Amino acid sequence: MTNQICMTTIEVLFEQAVNKANRGDLTGAIEDLPKVISFNPSYSEASQTKNTLDKDKDLKKYKNTLSNLAIQINAKLAETYSKRGMIHYFFKEYEQALSDFNKAIDIYPQDENAFYNRAFVYWELEQYDQSLSDLAKTIEINPQSVNAYNQRGLLYWELEQYDQALSDLNKAIDINPLFAYPYGNRALVYWKLKKYDQALFNYNKLIELDSQCTNAYHYRDDLYSKLEEYDKAISDYSKVIDLDPQCTEAYEKRGLLYYKLQQYDKVLSDYSKAIELNPQDDAEYIARGSFYFELKEYDKALLDYYKAIEFKPESEVGYYIRGDLYLELKEYEKALFDYNRAIEINPLFIDPYCQRGHIYKALKKYTQALSDYNKAIELYPASAEFYYNRGDLYFQLKDYSKALSDYNKAIENDADFNDAYSKRGNLYKDLKKYAQALSDYNKAIELNPQDADLYYNRGSIYLELKEYEKAVIDLSQAIKFNSESPEAYSKRGLLCQKAGNKQQARSDLQTAASLFRLRGDLKNYKQIMDVLRKL
């Protein structure tokens, strides 16, 4: 507070001196200068000016000298407010930061740093128009401000105004081709535009200019991962680890890539290293636990999940993920406890409602299941999956009108949702609306051409419509993609019998009988055996 009062006092005294000089009161103006010097002896310009005025009271010379000095002092005052504004900014004290930057600009309207820094505050406050305005003002004051072009380009990227972003980032690079960061930001734009070659070129250029920039490797290895160039991505994560051996994120991401390459020993090594570096971070235990979960090493997964909850007992994620494991093990009571706890901690956490709804559905507690599915939809109405889940429940309850409405909504939210087409096809099939059912199965097969159930269901409709050749083709496809389906063999066998192809019919029915017996389905086994005896 003292510095602020002192600097303000200096400003007032200089304003007073300028006013006196403008009125021709040279003596009064000279008398104010020692007061300035007493407040801040470091202003050597003030002493020099006083000496000059003592010797030469020429009004024109005096006014020029004093005006120049006032500009210098104002610039220093502005810089002081601007620096304090940055301190407030770093502590997320945005209103105080704005106040200081505004003051700096009032004192010195040509302070490009104040406009530039204020733009960051407006950015954080999501007042993007003001942020863009301040960056434009920075460029107006200093047309060669590479930082302003770079940051405005990044802001345009965030606002999804990609042409403007590229224009600014290109300008920044034109001004200073050796400034590394615009290349990284331009790569982000190209990535969004799915121009991956250009994105990769820019990341390479960023790394060429700043080979110690860990973020550059992070971004490039993320791009390599997206392009499924896993070896290159692993190489970049390894480089990050070389530059920053304490970077747990690099171990986690490299571990995930090793998992995709089925190098499980390396996965475990990286996840364990991340835990060693950060032994009280719940996220590290959740990551390793999820790896064990995928490998069906449930005991080890549980140990890691318990550890995560121990270190962060108020984290909904630990309970939720452990609930998923209990659900997988069909330990419903334990799963319910964990989902309930996750919801208690964070009532806006959507996924536990959905999973808890599945449990209630499995336990035939349909009212509770419906309540949870409704809550999930309320929290996230854009989800196709949540409507699909509720539609399945209505289908099971034979409330076909509501089921159809939910399947329609699921498809509206995600036009490529294969399961929604399949289930809606099943609904139409049950309602004997075969044309609509065929349309949905056709779409589902287009989206997932190796799904045996889809071919079986469509083949069954062709059978109902007595389009036997098409039925045989689809049933053959169903057997191709699932050779353990007794239903597909039995239907194809019966069709072959109807067509007079006894040899193929006998082969299919014998296979169907064996599969029904292995399944323990004695009813269907006996029915097929009765047919075989008559062949």
Side-chain angles (χ1 to χ4, degrees), residues 2-3 28 51 87 104 142 148 151 172 206 209 279 282 288 327 345 363 392 421 483 491 504 534:
T2 303
N3 286 340
N51 292 335
I87 293 172
N142 179 8
Q151 291 305 134
L206 170 58
L209 293 170
D282 64 308
R288 190 174 68 179
L327 178 59
I345 293 170
L363 296 174
D392 267 0
Y421 288 105
S483 60
K491 283 194 175 182
Q504 185 63 53
K534 296 175 183 178

Side-chain angles (χ1 to χ4, degrees), residues 173 176-184 202-213 216-217:
I173 290 168
N176 184 357
L178 299 181
F179 185 36
Y181 300 115
Y183 292 101
N202 278 272
Y203 283 138
N204 290 341
K205 189 65 178 179
L206 170 58
I207 290 169
E208 175 189 327
L209 293 170
D210 187 355
S211 61
Q212 302 301 302
C213 178
Y217 293 101

Side-chain angles (χ1 to χ4, degrees), residues 313-326:
E314 294 304 313
S315 170
E316 67 272 24
V317 176
Y319 288 101
Y320 168 72
I321 201 74
R322 190 176 68 179
D324 280 353
L325 178 51
Y326 283 131

Side-chain angles (χ1 to χ4, degrees), residues 357-358 360-366 369 373 388-400 402-404 407 423 427 430:
H358 294 336
Y360 285 137
K361 181 182 173 187
L363 296 174
K364 298 183 179 181
K365 296 182 177 182
Y366 300 126
Y373 291 149
Y388 170 81
N389 291 333
R390 192 175 68 179
D392 267 0
L393 177 58
Y394 283 133
F395 192 10
Q396 186 171 327
L397 296 174
K398 300 187 184 306
D399 191 338
Y400 296 133
K402 290 182 179 177
L404 181 58
Y407 289 144
K423 287 297 180 71
L427 188 153
D430 285 0

